[in-house]
Amino acid sequence: MSRLPAVRLAVRNLNRNRVRTVLAALGIVIGVLAIATLGVFGNVLQLSATDSFGGIGNQVTVSPAADAGVESFTERDLATIRRAAEGRGEVVPLITGGALVRGNGASTAAQLYGTENPDALFDAAEGTVPPRLRSGAVVGSGVADALGLRVGSAIEIEGNRYRVVAVLAEAEGISAVSPDRAVVLPPAEFADTEPSQVVIQANGREAASAAAAEIRERVNAREQRVSVFELSSIVDTISEFFGLLNTFLLSLAGLSLVVAGVAIFNVMLMSTNERRGEIGVLRAVGVQKGDVLRTLVVEAGLLGVAGGWSGWRCRSSPSGGSTTSRR
């Protein structure tokens, strides 16, 4: 008995009880759909969460170690931070504060940042963020909307008037410096000219991690002078969490395939019991045990292949929500 007759016999046996065959194949279809759907859902959820953090993994925030009694940076601290970040990104010292901003007859509260090179941290939606801010003000989108500001408008902060040179783009993710409610001024406009924090805009996550490690080693070599917040660690933790979640979802979906496999086993067991007489006749006319076993294995294989192919087709079709077809 060759393999081709075995296939024909298997197909005939499956057609003899179509309802049971369809139900068994349906279990495979559901299992494949479950794995595909939950797998795609887990990946999309991870990508969405990672994208919401924007470039946060490329930033390192350095602050004076207040717990150790350090309230400000020294020139030596800033020089050491610049050497540690050299070749890995741009160092942006920030003077921070808060004030009430007035313009066009209205007022709103804003976070003030003082830096000479705001273009390293901020992007403009209107106008151009100058590489060196010597005069004027750069306002966030939230402040601009609240006061009806645009490039060329005038604002007043604590009795001082400034001309708006750029309006910042809305924040698309989480960042150490929030631009929406910000007003960026030249450092000379602040009474306290010492930076309260330093933000390193690194060239990548690896560069950020390397810069953070070197800052800790150099600046805090003798005493705890600065606190280094490596934002890439947040992204790593989130990626690890969603990786575990995705594994759990795929394992949960895999149970559907296990159940489908048990269903196929049950179908084949019932089919074998019902066809004892037929198998006996085949054995009586000289059919070997291996040929009978091959026929049963081919039946199970056809069920699995048909169900898997149908499930994959349902997953890949536009109505099945394929991510590939929507790109």
Side-chain angles (χ1 to χ4, degrees):
M1 187 176 184
S2 63
R3 293 184 179 180
L4 186 57
V7 173
R8 292 179 178 177
L9 186 59
V11 173
R12 189 203 66 178
N13 292 333
L14 292 175
N15 286 330
R16 290 167 62 181
N17 198 329
R18 295 185 179 181
V19 175
R20 189 164 56 193
T21 300
V22 170
L23 291 177
L26 184 61
I28 296 292
V29 173
I30 294 174
V32 172
L33 283 176
I35 288 182
T37 302
L38 291 181
V40 170
F41 172 75
N43 289 330
V44 170
L45 192 62
Q46 182 176 358
L47 289 175
S48 299
T50 303
D51 290 343
S52 67
F53 281 84
I56 192 173
N58 300 337
Q59 291 182 345
V60 177
T61 304
V62 185
S63 305
D67 295 339
V70 181
E71 298 181 355
S72 62
F73 296 103
T74 65
E75 289 298 329
R76 182 177 179 180
D77 293 335
L78 295 176
T80 305
I81 292 173
R82 287 190 174 94
R83 286 195 298 270
E86 187 175 1
R88 298 188 174 106
E90 189 167 356
V91 177
V92 185
L94 288 176
I95 303 172
T96 60
L100 193 65
V101 182
R102 293 182 173 86
N104 293 331
S107 63
T108 184
Q111 174 71 39
L112 302 184
Y113 294 107
T115 180
E116 291 184 351
N117 50 335
D119 64 327
L121 298 178
F122 304 104
D123 296 320
E126 183 181 347
T128 303
V129 179
R132 289 291 181 268
L133 184 61
R134 303 298 185 186
S135 61
V138 178
V139 300
S141 59
V143 176
D145 291 341
L147 303 181
L149 303 176
R150 56 184 305 175
V151 174
S153 300
I155 60 173
E156 181 178 335
I157 302 176
E158 296 180 352
N160 298 318
R161 293 179 63 84
Y162 304 94
R163 185 70 59 182
V164 176
V165 297
V167 177
L168 299 178
E170 293 184 4
E172 296 182 354
I174 300 175
S175 175
V177 180
S178 177
D180 293 343
R181 303 296 303 178
V183 174
V184 186
L185 300 172
E189 299 297 323
F190 290 78
D192 187 1
T193 58
E194 294 183 351
S196 55
Q197 68 177 359
V198 175
V199 177
I200 301 172
Q201 186 65 41
N203 300 328
R205 290 174 59 185
E206 294 182 359
S209 299
E214 191 164 348
I215 291 171
R216 293 188 185 99
E217 181 179 354
R218 290 189 178 188
V219 183
N220 295 334
R222 297 182 179 179
E223 61 176 335
Q224 183 75 20
R225 292 199 52 80
V226 297
S227 299
V228 182
F229 185 33
E230 183 185 351
L231 300 178
S232 60
S233 60
I234 297 178
V235 181
D236 293 337
T237 302
I238 291 174
S239 298
E240 182 180 355
F241 167 75
F242 279 105
L244 293 175
L245 178 62
N246 200 26
T247 301
F248 170 75
L249 291 176
L250 288 177
S251 300
L252 192 63
L255 292 177
S256 300
L257 282 182
V258 174
V259 173
V262 172
I264 290 179
F265 176 80
N266 182 55
V267 168
M268 298 311 303
L269 181 62
M270 295 176 60
S271 177
T272 303
N273 289 333
E274 292 175 356
R275 288 154 45 197
R276 284 186 177 182
E278 179 182 340
I279 294 174
V281 172
L282 292 174
R283 293 285 290 126
V285 298
V287 178
Q288 301 297 318
K289 289 183 179 180
D291 296 328
V292 176
L293 180 61
R294 184 184 299 118
T295 302
L296 297 177
V297 171
V298 169
E299 288 184 33
L302 289 176
L303 280 174
V305 171
W309 180 83
S310 300
W312 184 256
R313 289 288 296 176
C314 291
R315 181 259 178 196
S316 301
S317 63
S319 59
S322 171
T323 57
T324 303
S325 62
R326 293 180 181 178
R327 291 179 182 174

